[in-house]
C-alpha cells in the first residue's frame, strides 16, 4: 500500500468531515508506509489521542476500501515522518525537524549585552545606568506598558457553545499547562468571535495559577512598531531579550505581519527561542495558517507545530446565552424573549451583538423603559436598517447554515452529501439575488468554486421553486429573514 493511498484517504475524509474538524485533526497527519504498515505521525499527543479515539476506525475503513478490501495495519505516533518517506504532497501543517535556530537567533546578542540585567517587573537600579541599560529600560518599559492583559476577559466571562467548544477546551489546557504539549496554540476565525477574549483568558489564568509568571500580550502591529522603535534606538538586543524572557507570548491578529519581512524574521527567531525554552506561544489570526498571504512559509509551517483550532460564529442559542451573560454583568434584567429577539436580528458576530445590547441598555436607562421586543426594534432601528441594506454573502451563509442546522464550514467545504449540497445551492442563489457580487466572486466565497457551479446552482433553485414546495417556502423564508 503506497503512501499516496493516505492522500487518497485524506481526500475521502475531507468530503466527510466539516472543514474545521478536517483541518484540525486530519490534515496535520503525516504518513510513512513500511513493511505493510502505515504509520501516521501526529504533531502532538492531543491530536494523536483525539484521532485515535474519534477517527481511527473510519480511517481504517476508508483505507481498506482503497486497498481492495484488505485491511491495513495502522499505527500512530507523535512526531514527523522520516525525510525519506514518500509522504507527498506535504501536509499543510507539517512538522519540520527543528532548525538550528538557537545559535542563529542569539548570535547578535553580545556577551556584554547578555550581562546587562534589567528586570521588567522591577526597575529599581542601585547604580547609575550605562547607556545600554537606559535603552533597555526605555524599550522594555514601553513594551511592558503595552502588554497588559484585560482582566475582564476570563474563562468565567466566556460563554461556551458548540461554535467555540474546542477552542475553549484547548485554551483551558494551555492555561493549565503552559509550554506543554500544545505549543504554539493557534486560534483562528472571523472577526469579533472571541479569539482575543480566549487569549486573554489564557493569560489571566496563567497569572492566576502562577502570580510570578511573565505574560506578554500584544497585537502584531505593536510588535512591528516596537521592533522599528528598537531598531531606531539601536536597542534591538534589548527587544530580543525582553521577548525571549517571557513565560508566555500572546500575539493577536498575526495576519498584520503580512509583507513585514523583517518583523517576520524577528518573530520567527523569537518564536523558536520560546518553543525551545518551553515557553508558551499563543497566536490568533483571521484565517488558517496556510491561507495567510505574504507570510513566510517556514513561519506558517511552524504555526502548525502545536495545536490549530478554529472559533466559529456562534449559533442562536449561544448568542442568546452571551446576551444574558452580558446583561447580567451590567446588572440589567433581560428577559429571554428580549435576548432571543436581539440574537435573531444580529447574527454577524459577538462584537456587534454586544454593541446592540449596549445601545438597548443605554436607551432603556435614558427613557426608563422596559426592554421589550418593540422597544428593542425601536432602539436598534438605525442599526437594523443598515444591516438590511447590507446583505453580505457572509450573512447569507450564516443564515442558511443556521436554518438548515449545518455549519458555515460545510457550505464552503467539498462535501457533496445532499444535506450540504442543497443548502449550498440555496445560499449561492440568494447571494446572486441579494448582493452585487459577480458569479466568480460568489464562487470564490464558497470555498473557491468555479462560476459555472454558481450559475448551475442559481438555475437549479429557480427550477426547484417551481416543483418543490419545500424549497419554495425555504427560499421565501430566507428572503424575509435577510431583507426585513
Ligand atoms: N463566547 C463568548 N462569550 C462572551 N463574550 C464573548 C464571546 N465571544 C466573544 N465575546 C466578546 O465579543 C467581543 C469581541 O471578541 P474578541 O475581541 O475576542 O473577538 P476576536 O475574535 O478577537 O476579533 P478580531 O479578529 O476582530 O480581533 C469581546 O468583547 C468579547 O468579550
Amino acid at each position: 500500500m503506497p503512501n499516496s493511498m493516505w492522500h487518497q484517504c485524506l481526500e475521502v475524509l475531507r468530503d466527510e468531515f466539516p472543514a474545521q474538524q478536517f483541518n484540525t485533526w486530519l490534515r496535520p497527519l503525516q504518513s510513512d508506509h513500511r513493511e505493510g504498515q502505515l504509520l501516521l505521525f501526529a504533531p502532538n499527543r492531543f491530536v494523536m489521542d483525539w484521532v485515535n479515539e474519534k477517527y481511527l476506525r473510519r480511517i481504517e475503513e476508508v483505507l481498506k476500501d482503497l486497498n481492495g478490501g484488505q485491511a491495513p495495519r495502522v499505527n500512530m505516533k507523535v512526531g514527523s515522518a522520516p525525510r525519506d518517506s514518500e509522504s507527498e504532497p506535504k501536509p499543510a501543517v507539517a512538522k519540520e525537524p527543528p532548525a538550528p535556530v538557537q545559535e542563529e537567533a542569539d548570535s547578535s546578542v553580545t556577551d556584554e549585552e547578555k550581562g546587562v540585567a534589567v528586570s521588567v517587573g522591577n526597575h529599581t537600579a542601585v547604580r547609575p545606568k550605562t547607556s545600554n541599560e537606559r535603552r533597555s529600560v526605555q524599550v522594555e518599559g514601553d513594551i511592558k506598558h503595552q502588554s497588559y492583559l484585560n482582566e475582564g476577559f476570563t474563562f468565567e466571562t466566556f460563554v461556551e457553545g458548540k461554535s467555540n467548544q474546542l477552542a475553549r477546551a484547548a485554551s483551558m489546557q494551555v492555561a493549565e499547562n503552559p509550554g506543554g504539549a500544545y505549543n504554539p496554540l493557534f486560534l483562528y476565525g472571523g472577526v469579533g468571535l472571541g479569539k482575543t477574549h480566549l487569549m486573554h483568558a489564557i493569560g489571566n489564568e496563567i497569572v492566576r495559577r502562577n502570580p510570578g509568571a511573565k505574560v506578554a500580550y500584544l497585537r502584531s502591529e505593536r510588535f512591528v512598531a516596537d521592533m522599528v522603535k528598537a531598531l531606531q534606538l539601536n536597542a534591538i538586543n534589548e527587544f530580543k531579550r525582553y521577548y525571549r524572557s517571557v513565560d508566555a507570548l500572546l500575539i493577536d491578529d498575526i495576519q498584520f505581519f503580512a509583507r513585514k519581512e523583517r518583523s517576520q524574521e524577528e518573530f520567527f527567531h523569537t518564536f523558536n527561542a520560546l518553543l525551545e525554552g518551553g515557553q508558551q506561544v499563543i497566536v490568533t489570526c483571521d484565517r488558517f495558517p496556510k491561507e495567510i498571504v505574504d507570510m513566510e512559509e517556514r513561519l506558517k509551517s511552524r504555526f502548525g507545530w502545536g495545536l490549530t483550532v478554529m472559533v466559529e460564529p456562534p449559533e442562536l442559542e449561544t448568542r442568546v446565552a452571551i446576551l444574558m451573560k452580558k446583561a447580567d454583568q451590567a446588572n440589567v434584567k433581560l428577559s429571554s424573549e428580549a435576548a432571543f429577539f436581539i440574537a435573531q436580528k444580529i447574527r454577524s458576530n459577538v462584537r456587534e451583538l454586544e454593541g446592540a445590547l449596549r445601545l438597548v441598555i443605554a436607551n432603556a436607562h435614558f427613557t426608563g423603559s422596559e426592554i421589550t421586543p418593540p422597544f428593542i426594534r425601536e432602539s436598534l432601528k438605525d442599526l437594523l436598517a443598515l444591516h438590511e441594506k447590507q446583505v453580505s454573502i457572509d450573512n447569507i451563509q450564516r443564515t442558511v447554515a443556521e436554518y438548515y442546522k449545518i455549519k458555515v464550514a460545510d457550505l464552503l467545504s467539498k462535501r457533496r452529501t445532499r444535506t450540504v449540497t442543497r443548502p449550498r445551492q440555496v445560499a449561492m442563489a440568494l447571494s446572486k439575488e441579494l448582493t452585487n457580487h459577480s458569479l466568480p466572486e460568489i464562487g470564490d466565497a464558497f470555498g473557491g468554486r468555479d462560476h459555472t457551479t454558481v450559475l448551475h446552482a442559481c438555475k437549479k433553485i429557480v427550477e426547484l421553486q417551481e416543483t418543490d414546495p419545500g424549497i419554495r417556502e425555504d427560499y421565501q423564508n430566507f428572503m424575509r429573514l435577510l431583507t426585513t
Side-chain angles (χ1 to χ4, degrees):
M1 187 185 61
N3 273 324
S4 61
M5 198 162 284
W6 168 244
H7 299 292
Q8 289 175 38
C9 174
L10 272 183
E11 284 310 306
V12 174
L13 299 173
R14 187 201 293 274
D15 283 348
E16 287 184 9
F17 293 101
Q20 180 202 355
Q21 279 181 33
F22 180 80
N23 286 334
T24 307
W25 309 113
L26 299 168
R27 196 163 163 174
L29 301 177
Q30 293 182 20
S31 69
D32 184 39
H33 178 249
R34 282 186 204 213
E35 290 146 19
Q37 170 186 246
L38 178 74
L39 198 50
L40 291 179
F41 291 88
N44 57 50
R45 200 169 26 79
F46 192 63
V47 173
M48 185 176 80
D49 295 346
W50 197 281
V51 171
N52 248 320
E53 195 185 314
K54 314 251 180 212
Y55 301 104
L56 200 59
R57 274 211 10 226
R58 182 62 195 139
I59 289 174
E60 284 171 345
E61 279 167 19
V62 174
L63 287 170
K64 188 175 165 191
D65 281 353
L66 291 169
N67 201 30
Q70 206 186 329
R73 266 193 303 137
V74 184
N75 281 310
M76 287 203 73
K77 225 176 144 176
V78 174
S80 329
R83 275 267 175 233
D84 63 341
S85 106
E86 306 153 42
S87 202
E88 286 296 331
K90 265 190 144 218
V93 281
K95 182 169 176 169
E96 290 174 357
V101 287
Q102 187 72 59
E103 246 182 53
E104 188 191 346
D106 280 341
S107 59
S108 53
V109 181
T110 64
D111 281 341
E112 184 224 346
E113 285 164 330
K114 277 180 187 153
V116 178
V118 176
S119 159
V120 176
N122 173 6
H123 287 173
T124 44
V126 289
R127 60 175 170 75
K129 296 183 178 77
T130 64
S131 61
N132 250 356
E133 286 171 329
R134 275 197 299 277
R135 260 187 350 236
S136 285
V137 172
Q138 183 176 352
V139 170
E140 296 186 1
D142 283 352
I143 293 168
K144 184 167 181 267
H145 181 70
Q146 307 293 342
S147 308
Y148 291 126
L149 289 167
N150 180 334
E151 288 177 1
F153 286 176
T154 62
F155 285 111
E156 288 73 44
T157 57
F158 189 81
V159 175
E160 190 176 349
K162 250 197 322 222
S163 53
N164 58 40
Q165 218 161 28
L166 197 62
R168 188 190 176 280
S171 300
M172 198 64 190
Q173 296 269 353
V174 167
E176 284 169 5
N177 184 18
Y182 315 133
N183 200 13
L185 176 67
F186 190 96
L187 296 168
Y188 74 102
V191 295
L193 297 181
K195 301 182 297 294
T196 303
H197 188 136
L198 273 179
M199 185 179 235
H200 282 267
I202 301 171
N204 282 319
E205 184 63 19
I206 291 176
V207 175
R208 194 184 68 78
R209 285 167 178 261
N210 173 12
K214 201 152 125 188
V215 175
Y217 162 84
L218 69 164
R219 287 172 57 83
S220 63
E221 298 101 312
R222 186 75 248 163
F223 186 91
V224 176
D226 282 352
M227 194 196 71
V228 170
K229 191 166 178 189
L231 283 169
Q232 282 166 353
L233 284 169
N234 208 10
I236 193 69
N237 289 319
E238 285 79 1
F239 172 87
K240 287 178 194 217
R241 196 171 17 251
Y242 174 75
Y243 282 111
R244 287 167 204 189
S245 74
V246 299
D247 296 302
L249 179 61
L250 283 45
I251 305 263
D252 210 356
D253 289 325
I254 197 85
Q255 68 272 13
F256 294 119
F257 269 178
R259 285 187 295 276
K260 310 271 189 326
E261 284 88 10
R262 175 72 209 255
S263 305
Q264 288 182 30
E265 169 92 15
E266 192 47 59
F267 183 65
F268 179 74
H269 294 313
T270 305
F271 191 83
N272 287 322
L274 290 174
L275 291 196
E276 283 171 20
Q279 295 137 286
Q280 182 69 44
V281 178
I282 306 165
V283 172
T284 72
C285 187
D286 65 350
R287 65 202 73 181
F288 188 67
K290 200 184 161 217
E291 282 145 21
I292 315 173
V293 283
D294 294 320
M295 178 86 75
E296 274 190 55
E297 281 308 319
R298 59 178 186 169
L299 198 48
K300 289 199 251 184
S301 143
R302 220 142 284 208
F303 287 150
W305 274 27
L307 188 61
T308 303
V309 202
M310 186 185 188
V311 185
E312 295 220 41
E315 58 304 339
L316 183 65
E317 293 77 9
T318 312
R319 294 202 300 276
V320 171
I322 289 174
L323 286 169
M324 300 293 278
K325 179 123 190 170
K326 302 270 174 194
D328 195 46
Q329 283 168 0
N331 278 324
V332 169
K333 265 185 76 177
L334 189 71
S335 69
S336 50
E337 190 198 11
F340 205 78
F341 188 81
I342 302 174
Q344 265 180 331
K345 296 280 173 206
I346 312 286
R347 293 182 296 265
S348 43
N349 64 55
V350 185
R351 189 174 292 124
E352 278 215 34
L353 200 62
E354 272 190 319
L357 179 66
R358 262 198 300 272
L359 198 60
V360 170
I361 292 177
N363 270 347
H365 276 313
F366 190 61
T367 58
S369 311
E370 208 184 317
I371 302 177
T372 59
F375 177 78
I376 296 168
R377 193 193 302 279
E378 182 56 29
S379 300
L380 300 181
K381 207 170 51 197
D382 295 343
L383 188 69
L384 294 178
L386 202 69
H387 265 262
E388 279 145 23
K389 265 191 249 138
Q390 291 176 340
V391 182
S392 63
I393 297 182
D394 212 39
N395 198 355
I396 292 172
Q397 289 172 338
R398 282 188 231 281
T399 308
V400 171
E402 197 162 275
Y403 185 92
Y404 289 115
K405 301 212 176 331
I406 56 173
K407 295 190 167 180
V408 170
D410 292 332
L411 292 176
L412 276 51
S413 76
K414 294 199 172 132
R415 291 179 66 198
R416 284 197 213 100
T417 49
R418 187 63 173 268
T419 46
V420 173
T421 44
R422 194 65 84 228
R424 189 184 290 134
Q425 287 175 331
V426 169
M428 284 180 177
L430 286 164
S431 303
K432 186 71 199 110
E433 184 161 353
L434 296 176
T435 74
N436 291 325
H437 289 290
S438 64
L439 292 175
E441 281 168 353
I442 297 173
D444 256 7
F446 279 82
R449 288 183 154 75
D450 196 74
H451 73 279
T452 53
T453 310
V454 183
L455 193 61
H456 172 74
C458 297
K459 286 184 178 157
K460 184 85 196 166
I461 295 301
V462 170
E463 224 175 270
L464 283 173
Q465 284 192 76
E466 309 265 300
T467 57
D468 182 339
I471 290 284
R472 189 167 51 240
E473 195 187 321
D474 286 356
Y475 204 82
Q476 281 165 4
N477 281 341
F478 284 129
M479 291 299 282
R480 195 166 36 76
L481 274 171
L482 290 161
T483 58
T484 55

